[in-house]
Amino acid sequence: MRVIFMGTPEFSVPALRAIAARHEVVAVYSQPPRAAGRGQKPRPSAVHAAAEELGIEVRTPLRLRGEEEQAAFAALEADVAVVVAYGLILPQPVLDAPRLGCLNIHASLLPRWRGAAPIHRAVMAGDAETGVAIMQMEAGLDTGPVLAEVRTAIGAEETTADLHDRLSGLGADLIVDVLARLPLPAVPQAGEGVTYAAKIDKAEARVDWSRPAIEVDRLIRGLSPFPGAWCDVAGERVKLLRSRVVAGQGAPGEVLEGFTVACGEGAVEVLEAQRSGKKPMAAEELLRGWGLPARLD
């Protein structure tokens, strides 16, 4: 099968590799290289780098609305396009060009968590489970009918990073299965239960210790590793990367023992954190030679 692959971040790479091992990937579309690192030199995306390693042509248009770009896309005469966290809206001529249309690997159980940050939002909301859906793309935001899905539980101490890696692998396995069985019937999404996973705003990241411990814990795990929930420790901004809800009581922000902090209801034990300019460390290691004040802000 002739496949166009469209993706940008590391999440998309396992799917690209899995498809390329079984089908002819005629081109990869990815976001243009961005300035990164101390030297601010243009760096290709994770998908771009993987495609070059696999010897696949990479295209990095800034947009797909021009007739010339759309004609170049159609000229590939693909059977299907697979889209995974690409980052550009696909206009209707692009959606219609492949013989079997465009399929999206989406990291949620649609219609829950349509939009940009489904993994973060599932953890932050305390969802018991999530999964991956393969959707037939249409003009609306993640509104297309679903061809297949796989479900997975969210662990009590699982972070967005943990879930990201598992869902990436599940998505790669599922798209390979779907491509092998095309054409498949597509089931319209339910009209009820629609939620939107808004892009994460850094303003959400500061921990409010007056909130219940269960909410603080979900925030810490949901924003780990990026952008990272944080609190003020004696004037230093410290990222909190792993945590769990524990028994404990005190004034909000009061340090009870080790890195256990009282919340509005209950307490949270911070398991991993990162000081400014330092690498992430387990709380036990972090506290060696560095004492916490009596209260955190």
Side-chain angles (χ1 to χ4, degrees), residues 67-265:
E67 291 184 5
E68 186 175 340
E69 280 295 347
Q70 293 173 9
F73 186 91
L76 292 167
E77 298 183 337
D79 294 303
V80 67
V82 174
V83 184
V84 196
Y86 175 39
L88 285 182
I89 294 174
L90 305 190
Q92 198 64 48
V94 170
L95 293 173
D96 294 341
R99 179 174 63 88
L100 296 170
C102 298
L103 305 183
N104 177 241
I105 304 176
H106 187 76
S108 80
L109 299 172
L110 293 166
R112 187 161 177 79
W113 301 130
R114 295 174 180 172
I119 304 176
H120 295 79
R121 296 299 177 187
V123 177
M124 292 168 70
D127 289 3
E129 70 171 357
T130 186
V132 174
I134 308 297
M135 176 189 66
Q136 187 82 48
M137 295 181 71
E138 56 183 31
L141 176 63
D142 298 331
T143 58
V146 174
L147 281 71
E149 69 175 22
V150 61
R151 295 172 175 262
T152 185
I154 301 176
E157 296 182 16
E158 197 159 27
T159 66
T160 285
D162 300 329
L163 195 54
H164 168 283
D165 293 349
R166 188 160 81 256
L167 293 179
S168 178
L170 289 172
D173 292 341
L174 188 60
I175 191 63
V176 166
D177 176 65
V178 166
L179 291 179
R181 296 188 292 122
L182 287 178
L184 285 171
V187 179
Q189 293 184 36
E192 298 178 352
V194 175
T195 58
Y196 289 93
K199 185 178 179 181
I200 299 297
D201 188 325
K202 289 185 178 180
E204 299 178 70
R206 183 162 190 170
V207 173
D208 179 357
W209 298 110
S210 69
R211 304 300 300 168
I214 192 169
E215 294 182 13
V216 173
D217 172 60
R218 291 170 180 171
L219 180 75
I220 292 171
R221 293 185 294 107
L223 297 185
S224 177
F226 180 83
W230 64 276
C231 68
D232 186 289
V233 181
E236 179 181 345
R237 183 166 168 158
V238 177
K239 279 188 178 183
L240 311 178
L241 300 173
R242 286 187 184 273
S243 61
R244 63 186 172 201
V245 176
V246 295
Q249 189 173 353
E254 179 184 349
V255 178
L256 303 178
E257 181 182 3
F259 214 144
T260 298
V261 185
C263 300
E265 295 176 13

